[in-house]
Amino acid sequence: MAMAGTLKCVVVAVDGSDESMNALKWALDNVSVKSPEDGGSFVILHVQPPPSIAVGINPGSIPFGGPSLEVPAFTAAIEAHQKRVTDAIVNHALEIATQKNVNVKTQVIVGEPKEKICEVVDELHADLLVMGNRAFGRIKRMFLGSVSKYCSNYASCPVVIVKDEPAEALQAYGDQ
């Protein structure tokens, strides 16, 4: 890549999908950032949707028979579940980075994914955003719209959307 080593900050947005992990592998193989000493950073970003999005329904429509006390308990259960999902996603992404021997930072933020990705890219003054083309899954996309499409329109830096390729196709990008 002509721009190898000139980028200061690259953000890779990941969710639980194979597409996003393939995008991460592609980025680690193909994009080089300045060394940490020169202020370079590779940031793996995961946006955890708030419970209302995770449930995909308006919590008000859940027919609780009991006191309102049950609503926070319900939300807490979803939040605990989401934290486990988030931890698994971040750990998987870190394993990929370790295999590729690339030093990365991770950031987890809660909110509307497409907006939060653009916000973080802006805050970090990122030079490049990399994401899979089906980030955040088909069901959530019905509620959220296409995250990658939104980010390609509104992110403050260039966006690379890595198309869903079988893992074998990625070998061509320099896996030894």
Side-chain angles (χ1 to χ4, degrees):
M1 239 185 187
M3 57 183 179
T6 59
L7 302 177
K8 259 187 106 163
C9 176
V10 173
V11 175
V12 184
V14 298
D15 62 6
S17 69
D18 290 345
E19 291 90 351
S20 75
M21 296 300 163
N22 284 345
L24 174 60
K25 289 172 189 165
W26 180 89
L28 295 172
D29 283 343
N30 289 281
V31 181
S32 45
V33 298
K34 291 183 178 188
S35 68
E37 298 78 54
D38 294 328
S41 62
F42 225 113
V43 180
I44 296 174
L45 170 67
H46 174 65
V47 180
Q48 182 178 296
S52 58
I53 291 179
V55 183
I57 48 177
N58 172 359
S61 66
I62 299 168
F64 288 110
S68 59
L69 177 83
E70 289 183 41
V71 179
F74 180 75
T75 305
I78 293 169
E79 281 169 358
H81 170 72
Q82 278 182 290
K83 187 182 182 314
R84 287 192 295 272
V85 170
T86 294
D87 291 347
I89 290 167
V90 171
N91 289 338
H92 185 54
L94 283 171
E95 276 166 32
I96 291 170
T98 303
Q99 284 162 12
K100 306 256 179 214
N101 207 16
V102 178
N103 192 14
V104 297
K105 295 177 181 173
T106 59
Q107 191 169 344
V108 173
I109 194 159
V110 177
E112 159 74 66
K114 55 191 179 191
E115 288 168 12
K116 288 293 175 191
I117 291 169
C118 291
E119 270 174 38
V120 170
V121 159
D122 215 27
E123 282 162 20
L124 297 177
H125 305 292
D127 297 304
L128 188 68
L129 168 64
V130 179
M131 54 201 313
N133 66 325
R134 283 214 293 251
F136 304 104
R138 275 151 271 179
I139 305 295
K140 284 191 188 132
R141 195 170 59 186
M142 290 193 314
F143 297 102
L144 302 177
S146 166
V147 176
S148 52
K149 188 174 174 191
Y150 180 94
C151 292
S152 66
N153 287 330
Y154 297 106
S156 56
C157 69
V159 180
V160 173
I161 297 169
V162 179
K163 296 292 185 184
D164 183 27
E165 299 179 74
E168 306 83 73
L170 289 166
Q171 302 303 314
Y173 286 109
D175 274 6
Q176 301 317 320

